[in-house]
């Protein structure tokens, strides 16, 4: 192989290697940017999860305080049912006597 052909082959290989190195460096930068976006997304999801957990906890406390402070409709209905049952029992006893 002549010196000129050898030099052209070396230059061609050098350009190909440099292009591969440049592509690898660009891929590395793109991966780092992707990783940063993913970390930001995960962080955001963690924040949302914490806020939802706090909201759920607050709602549970609110419902519990509603039940303690003011009887719910179901609680009132149960009380009415108990009174009606007692009245019916008293009525049955009066009829039997």
């Amino acid at each position: 192989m002549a010196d000129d052909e050898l030099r052209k082959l070396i230059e061609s290989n050098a350009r190909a290697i440099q292009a591969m190195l440049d592509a690898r460096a660009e891929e590395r930068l793109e991966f780092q940017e992707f990783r940063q976006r993913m970390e930001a997304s995960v962080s955001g999801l963690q924040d949302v999860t914490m806020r939802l957990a706090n909201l759920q906890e607050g709602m549970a406390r609110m419902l519990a305080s509603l039940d303690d402070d003011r009887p719910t409709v179901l609680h009132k209905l149960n009380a009415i049912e108990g009174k009606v049952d007692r009245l019916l029992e008293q009525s049955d006893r009066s009829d039997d006597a």
Side-chain angles (χ1 to χ4, degrees):
M1 198 181 267
D3 285 343
D4 191 40
E5 291 175 350
L6 189 57
R7 194 172 303 121
K8 287 180 182 177
L9 181 61
I10 291 171
E11 288 174 8
S12 174
N13 286 344
R15 283 192 302 270
I17 291 169
Q18 188 61 49
M20 287 189 280
L21 291 173
D22 292 344
R24 178 73 175 131
E26 187 175 328
E27 289 170 1
R28 188 175 296 126
L29 286 175
E30 288 173 359
F31 178 75
Q32 287 175 348
E33 290 171 1
F34 171 76
R35 185 175 177 182
Q36 288 172 348
R37 285 194 310 269
M38 292 303 296
E39 287 173 355
S41 294
V42 168
S43 177
L45 288 174
Q46 288 172 338
D47 291 343
V48 168
T49 302
M50 288 299 293
R51 287 191 312 208
L52 283 174
N54 290 338
L55 177 65
Q56 183 179 15
E57 186 178 320
M59 288 176 64
R61 280 195 308 266
M62 181 186 71
L63 289 174
S65 71
L66 280 177
D67 219 18
D68 291 342
D69 296 345
R70 294 170 230 96
T72 60
V73 173
L74 181 60
H75 186 71
K76 286 183 177 184
L77 288 175
N78 285 336
I80 293 170
E81 183 182 24
K83 290 177 184 177
V84 169
D85 286 344
R86 280 193 302 265
L87 289 173
L88 289 174
E89 286 176 12
Q90 287 175 0
S91 176
D92 285 346
R93 284 189 220 140
S94 302
D95 290 344
D96 290 344

